[in-house]
Amino acid sequence: QVQLVESGGGLVQAGGSLRLSCEASRIIFSAYALGWYRQAPGKQRELVAHITSGGTITYVDFVKGRFTISRDNSKNTVYLQMNSLKPEDTAVYYCNMGEKYWGQGTQVTVSS
């Protein structure tokens, strides 16, 4: 059974930074594309950033220049470095693997 475990969420003031991590188990990690999504209260889950198995990266417009996705295949881990956080970034952040597997989510709260 594949497991994705996220960590690194928390409460931060506007302008601050957080680094999310998502570690996968029981899978050939390097073969999969990975994504970070988020879901704010009352809103649909939305893509934040995506990285393919080959390392091609895509960001949605509202995080460009502020967030950085990266992966370490030797550690079965994908990261999301979030800088210049805004209150509207408040959401539960989820990692996704191969459009199939989901983590349990980690709460990010940005205070104004």
Side-chain angles (χ1 to χ4, degrees), residues 14 22 36 38-39 47-49 56 66 70 87 93 101 103 109 111:
C22 175
W36 284 98
R38 71 186 187 187
Q39 188 167 18
L47 176 67
V48 173
T56 300
R66 300 190 299 125
S70 61
Y93 284 72
Y101 304 106
T109 303
S111 63

Side-chain angles (χ1 to χ4, degrees), residues 64-83:
K64 283 182 179 177
R66 300 190 299 125
F67 291 10
T68 303
I69 188 172
S70 61
R71 64 190 296 164
D72 186 339
N73 292 335
S74 68
K75 296 181 179 179
N76 277 18
T77 301
V78 59
Y79 304 96
L80 186 68
Q81 177 67 44
M82 304 186 295
N83 299 328

